[in-house]
Amino acid sequence: MLALTGEVALDDESLDDLMYGIDELKTARPDYDQAEAYYDGKVPEVFSSTRIRRALAARDIDFDLNFAKTPVNAVTNRLKIASVTSPDDDVNTLISKIWQDNQLNLEMPDLFRRAGEYGDAYLFVLPVEDEAGEVIRVDMFYNSPRTVRVIYSEDNPRRKAYTIKKWCEGKYHRAELLYDDRIERWTTRENSDGDQPTDWLHWPAEDDDAESWLIEHDWGEQPVFHFRTDRPYGVPEHYGAYGPQNAITKLQATHMGTVDYQGAPQRYALTETATTDTSDLEPGDFDDFPADDAGAGPTDSGDDSSLKAGPGELWLLRGFKGVGQFDAAKPDVFLDPIQFNVRAMAQITDTPLRMFDPQSNQRSGESYREEDGPFISKVENRQTSYGASLHEAFVFALRRFGIVDPVVNVDWVPAKSVTDAQGWQTVKAKIDAGVPRRQALMEAGYRAEQVDAWLAGVDDAELQRRTTILASLADSAQKLGAATALGVVTSEQAQQLLNGALSDMELLAEAQAQA
């Protein structure tokens, strides 16, 4: 139960923990800010000339191609929780209540994305009590690693020594230290930056209770759960994309700078050494674009060109022996390196190239599976790590409701599953070779409970028939896709053919079930 007390006195250790935690937050903050900037595509071109940088900044021009967010989104999109359950029906009811109260179907995807973006994310789990001290609900919510940090024990890196949360509130800095047996509340003096120990004071939760800055509890653990891509602290999923993204940003900005020269080439005029009289030229003779009301730029005179293009027009230029124009850089000079850097980004971050460019090529399902191997392994590692943290969070929440030793199972939608003809043919070949049918289907990427439901009351002959039908259907779908691409049939016709085949299969299955 949560209680307010003043029995624990302030000691040097608490203040040392506070200052050490603040220093850890301050040290880690730049890396988190950098990770956010690359995910949001807000990193400027760092190698541009001063002149170009000023020109782009003055007109608030942004030509960025943000590929760096793709490695984060690719992993996040594969992290889908199938279920959080318990063998006990009463516990299942509580789990459903916690899930609904906190809208975890919305909270979890955001938490996973933030964990991928920063490398770290924190889930707070705080019980809410009524006036009688009974827990009526448990609040679960995300906190940013820019304001929260778990400090791990030096002698046991898996044990949380304590957690610090620090934020700014108007003219004050606030902080909380969360321990296994208490929560301490701290605040700075007005307009203090909080860099010195003397800047910090106790922060009572109730104005009329000076000791309410200290909240004791009997939870035996901290109500903070760390979701991370590595240990002890994570690395952003797109960390390896920083370098290629810098190159892409520079190439794209420079490429856009040459577009003006392709639309309006820079020109030149050559004169003879002894003939340099250009007095007959008007100020706007070589000005292709008249100035608008607001002025087009520092070099525009505002005069229309006297050289008119059209049938029967005569251009008379005195004093020049020749004119010409400078060719702009070819687009391939920029686009080819951009493609190279995208491929490098895919390789470095273990992200399939087609996730950066879905139209890159058309290949077989087997080649996709080979390419996806490192990526699928990464997703499965995240499921293991995040699943352990989510399991701890639900166990903690259920204990607050009085469940002494709750059993909780966290199941994920498989990171991969067989959907193509070659894949189902492989499953069929495994079963034909003697691999247990349950094992073959689980290796195809389906959850154990799904497989058990499918196999309930199904003998080997029926399974063989279903596998053969699925393989044939997948093969037909693949061939229809190729026919559609070649224009042999329309996409609507292909869809009608597949729908008809599926309907026939359903009618056949119903007839066999009734027989």
Side-chain angles (χ1 to χ4, degrees), residues 19-272:
M19 300 312 298
Y20 180 79
I22 291 173
D23 185 62
E24 283 283 294
L25 281 171
K26 187 180 297 185
T27 301
R29 180 65 179 265
D31 289 338
Y32 293 133
D33 290 342
Q34 183 184 38
E36 182 180 61
Y38 275 97
Y39 182 83
D40 291 339
K42 301 301 182 183
V43 180
E45 184 198 353
V46 295
F47 305 109
S48 178
S49 68
T50 302
R51 182 181 178 187
I52 294 178
R53 188 186 310 119
R54 288 175 179 171
L56 294 177
R59 296 180 179 273
D60 194 23
I61 299 174
D62 182 2
F63 295 121
D64 290 346
L65 297 175
N66 184 21
F67 289 99
K69 68 189 302 181
T70 300
V72 178
N73 291 345
V75 174
T76 303
N77 291 339
R78 294 291 183 97
L79 294 174
K80 299 182 184 298
I81 299 173
S83 62
V84 179
T85 59
S86 173
D88 188 300
D89 290 340
D90 292 336
V91 175
N92 260 335
T93 300
L94 279 176
I95 291 175
S96 297
K97 171 178 169 53
I98 294 170
W99 189 278
Q100 295 297 328
D101 287 347
N102 293 279
Q103 296 184 316
L104 294 185
N105 57 318
L106 302 177
E107 191 78 18
M108 288 295 104
D110 183 62
L111 176 71
F112 299 151
R113 182 179 69 80
R114 297 298 186 182
E117 179 182 347
Y118 297 120
D120 300 288
Y122 296 97
L123 183 68
F124 273 59
V125 183
L126 296 175
V128 178
E129 300 177 344
D130 58 16
E131 295 180 356
E134 294 295 327
V135 175
I136 56 176
R137 73 173 188 274
V138 173
D139 286 342
M140 290 184 170
F141 50 89
Y142 158 79
N143 265 242
S144 170
R146 295 185 298 176
T147 58
V148 175
R149 193 167 181 85
V150 169
I151 308 300
Y152 290 95
S153 172
E154 291 290 342
D155 59 340
N156 183 357
R158 291 199 302 269
R159 188 179 71 82
K160 305 172 189 174
Y162 64 95
T163 299
I164 181 171
K165 177 175 179 178
K166 178 180 177 291
W167 69 99
C168 185
E169 192 173 297
K171 299 179 180 180
Y172 302 92
H173 290 272
R174 312 291 198 191
E176 289 183 346
L177 297 180
L178 298 94
Y179 294 92
D180 291 347
D181 59 351
R182 68 189 188 279
I183 298 175
E184 297 180 2
R185 293 162 48 90
W186 297 82
T187 185
T188 59
R189 293 179 173 85
E190 187 174 343
N191 294 322
S192 173
D193 57 15
D195 288 339
Q196 301 299 322
T198 53
D199 294 338
W200 290 92
L201 306 169
H202 296 160
W203 181 30
E206 300 177 13
D207 294 337
D208 57 352
D209 184 357
E211 300 302 321
S212 62
W213 68 277
L214 179 65
I215 304 173
E216 285 188 321
H217 60 74
D218 59 358
W219 302 335
E221 56 183 313
Q222 298 156 41
V224 182
F225 300 90
H226 192 180
F227 291 72
R228 46 189 167 165
T229 62
D230 204 350
R231 291 172 177 263
Y233 301 101
V235 177
E237 300 285 7
H238 59 318
Y239 179 78
Y242 293 179
Q245 183 62 57
N246 285 337
I248 291 170
T249 301
K250 176 175 176 58
L251 287 163
Q252 177 68 358
T254 310
H255 179 210
M256 290 297 100
T258 68
V259 171
D260 288 342
Y261 290 93
Q262 291 170 332
Q266 184 174 354
R267 297 164 298 184
Y268 60 84
L270 303 177
T271 66
E272 294 285 2

